[in-house]
């Protein structure tokens, strides 16, 4: 069966292997974390509208969608580690092209290619981490994993506050991040987690029938993160904040991952991933409501830290729930489905937020964020009622 029900003694956790995988992915996380504000600020300087900036940001998740279903087959063809290394090097090449072209039209195409090549890194990293985590410690393991990933994302905007957006320097930082990821993965010993077990859930689409609420939670979390990272600088700029503060606001969002993902994971071990998804969604909606009220006060930094933690926490808790319910081929299909929904969330989030901001002003960003999380809560409660009626 696909559901994990093992009662055997747990294998010890290989912290060294988990640390190596996480360090590698943190390097590419830093490169990606730098890219969102970098592209937004550069396109704003070129006179692009918020809607166009949001559409450009959606090209990367569109690449995730295009490649999600092919990742398991690519792993079987070339091996997990070889695929991850090749994708890291391809990511470095994409940023080299972006820095060379300096053309927002060409960036649409290259940002799509970035989405294609980083998708295996997402899927492989999460499968490796979930496979290494003993059931009783899965919450804290995924908390540690996403904390270190959050440190990588936070480094990107922080570096941007130091090097600025002009010249080759920000692109060189991203290139170095991807190359470092490839080097660390090359140094790792054999990594498991993608073994075939002869089971089938009908691929990505078959998995959607098994856990629709989990997949919708991933979509909302992706829309939260990518809309905020792409358009928070535009929201802040509309209130007269300087460029350095705008980049620091994105760092504050990432600090939530660094500070609070482990506590959220420990809570998930006590109350379950499903309950924590609801908690994180509700807290994200509340933070979105507070955003326009506190944007020009010092309290905005606390709101951004909490918002960054619980907004991405929806995804972390979905991973915990995925690992507790599925294993083997179903886990692989689930991670690929998560990647697909993350891409869809990126397509829904930034463009819709940008369009609403263009029509209604800066308030459009928090309105979209709050609405998405309220819809997630409503859908989750609907599924709970439906299960009770079915059981009855």
């Amino acid at each position: 069966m696909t559901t994990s029900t093992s009662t055997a003694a747990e294998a010890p956790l290989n912290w060294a292997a988990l640390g190596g995988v996480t360090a590698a992915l943190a390097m590419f996380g830093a490169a990606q974390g730098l890219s969102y504000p970098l592209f937004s600020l550069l396109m704003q300087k070129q006179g692009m509208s918020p809607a166009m900036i949001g559409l450009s940001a959606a090209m990367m998740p569109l690449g995730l969608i295009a490649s999600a279903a092919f990742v398991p087959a690519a792993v079987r063809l070339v091996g997990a580690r070889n695929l991850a290394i090749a994708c890291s090097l391809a990511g470095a090449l994409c940023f080299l092209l972006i820095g060379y072209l300096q053309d927002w039209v060409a960036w649409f195409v290259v940002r799509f290619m970035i989405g294609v090549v980083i998708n295996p890194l997402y899927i492989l990293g999460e499968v490796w981490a979930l496979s290494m985590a003993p059931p009783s410690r899965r919450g804290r393991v995924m908390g540690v994993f996403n904390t270190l990933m959050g440190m990588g994302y936070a480094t990107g905007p922080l570096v941007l506050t130091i090097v600025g957006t002009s010249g080759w320097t920000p692109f060189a930082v991203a290139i170095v991040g991807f190359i470092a990821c490839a080097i660390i993965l090359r140094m790792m010993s054999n990594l498991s987690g993608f073994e075939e077990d002869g089971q089938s859930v009908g691929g990505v689409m078959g998995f959607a029938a098994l856990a629709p609420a989990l997949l919708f939670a991933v979509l909302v979390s992706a829309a939260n993160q990518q809309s905020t990272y792409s358009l928070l600088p535009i929201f802040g700029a509309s209130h007269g904040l300087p460029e350095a503060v705008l980049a620091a606001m994105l760092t504050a969002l990432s600090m939530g991952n660094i500070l609070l993902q482990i506590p959220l994971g420990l809570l998930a071990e006590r109350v379950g991933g499903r309950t924590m998804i609801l908690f994180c969604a509700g807290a994200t909606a509340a933070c979105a409501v507070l955003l326009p009220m506190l944007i020009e006060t010092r309290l905005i930094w606390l709101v951004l830290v909490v918002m960054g933690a619980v907004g991405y926490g929806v995804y972390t808790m979905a991973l915990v729930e995925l690992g507790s319910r599925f294993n083997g081929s179903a886990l692989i299909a689930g991670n690929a489905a998560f990647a697909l929904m993350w891409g869809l969330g990126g397509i829904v989030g930034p463009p819709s937020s940008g369009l609403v901001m263009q029509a209604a002003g800066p308030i459009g960003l928090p309105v979209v964020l709050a609405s998405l999380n309220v819809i997630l809560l409503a859908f989750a409660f609907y599924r709970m009622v439906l299960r009770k009626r079915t059981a009855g």
Side-chain angles (χ1 to χ4, degrees):
M1 301 296 292
T2 58
T3 304
S4 300
T5 58
S6 175
T7 58
E10 293 180 353
L13 175 59
N14 187 341
W15 284 106
L18 179 63
V21 168
T22 307
L25 295 181
M27 294 298 101
F28 110 84
Q32 190 180 0
L34 176 146
S35 70
Y36 282 109
L38 174 62
F39 288 127
S40 295
L41 293 171
L42 287 177
M43 291 182 72
Q44 186 182 41
K45 288 180 179 179
Q46 295 180 25
M48 298 296 103
S49 67
M52 188 62 69
I53 294 172
L55 184 61
S56 176
M59 297 309 293
M60 190 181 298
L62 185 62
L64 297 179
I65 293 173
S67 62
F70 301 101
V71 173
V75 169
R76 290 192 296 269
L77 183 64
V78 302
R81 184 170 61 164
N82 289 338
L83 178 62
I85 292 172
C87 288
S88 299
L89 296 176
L93 178 61
C94 286
F95 273 90
L96 181 65
L97 285 173
I98 289 172
Y100 174 75
L101 294 171
Q102 289 290 315
D103 179 355
W104 68 268
V105 176
W107 287 355
F108 271 70
V109 178
V110 183
R111 292 185 84 174
F112 172 82
M113 293 308 302
I114 291 174
V116 171
V117 300
I118 67 174
N119 200 23
L121 294 172
Y122 276 125
I123 295 174
L124 287 166
E126 289 168 359
V127 168
W128 284 327
L130 286 169
S131 298
M132 294 174 190
S136 67
R137 292 188 284 174
R138 185 171 288 117
R140 72 193 72 182
V141 167
M142 297 314 297
V144 170
F145 178 79
N146 283 314
T147 292
L148 296 177
M149 285 289 290
M151 291 177 67
Y153 281 110
T155 300
L158 182 61
V159 167
L160 199 60
T161 66
I162 299 171
V163 304
T165 59
S166 301
W168 266 100
T169 305
F171 296 99
V173 171
I175 292 168
V176 169
F178 276 102
I179 292 176
C181 177
I183 292 172
I184 295 173
L185 289 172
R186 182 65 184 87
M187 295 169 61
M188 295 289 296
S189 58
N190 291 334
L191 295 166
S192 61
F194 258 78
E195 297 85 354
E196 287 294 323
D197 56 7
Q199 301 180 24
S200 175
V201 295
V204 169
M205 298 306 297
F207 183 85
L210 297 176
L214 274 184
L215 296 185
F216 187 60
V218 172
L219 182 146
V220 170
S221 182
N224 286 337
Q225 189 190 44
Q226 296 182 52
S227 296
T228 309
Y229 272 78
S230 298
L231 294 170
L232 185 62
I234 311 304
F235 179 83
S238 70
H239 290 269
L241 301 179
E243 186 174 298
V245 172
L246 301 178
M249 290 172 67
L250 298 184
T251 300
L253 282 171
S254 295
M255 285 298 294
N257 283 341
I258 297 171
L259 296 174
L260 298 176
Q261 289 304 302
I262 295 175
L264 289 175
L266 290 171
L267 282 173
E269 292 176 7
R270 290 180 174 270
V271 303
R274 188 176 299 168
T275 300
M276 289 302 296
I277 290 172
L278 299 178
F279 169 77
C280 289
T284 303
C287 288
V289 171
L290 291 173
L291 192 62
M293 300 179 185
L294 303 176
I295 185 64
E296 298 182 37
T297 73
R298 293 182 179 180
L299 287 175
I300 192 61
W301 300 106
L302 176 61
V303 171
L304 291 174
V305 169
V306 175
M307 190 175 182
V310 294
Y312 192 71
V314 171
Y315 183 75
T316 302
M317 298 305 106
L319 279 176
V320 172
E321 185 69 8
L322 176 70
S324 67
R325 292 173 56 185
F326 303 99
N327 57 23
S329 296
L331 181 60
I332 298 169
N335 273 98
F338 272 29
L340 177 62
M341 296 308 290
W342 187 269
L344 286 174
I347 288 178
V348 170
S352 61
S353 298
L355 286 170
V356 176
M357 289 176 73
Q358 189 166 322
I363 193 67
L365 177 62
V367 165
V368 171
L369 295 176
S371 299
L372 284 171
N373 284 277
V374 169
I375 293 170
L376 171 58
L377 288 170
F379 182 63
F381 283 119
Y382 164 76
R383 291 286 299 175
M384 290 171 60
V385 172
L386 188 62
R387 280 193 298 269
K388 288 181 180 179
R389 288 181 178 177
T390 304

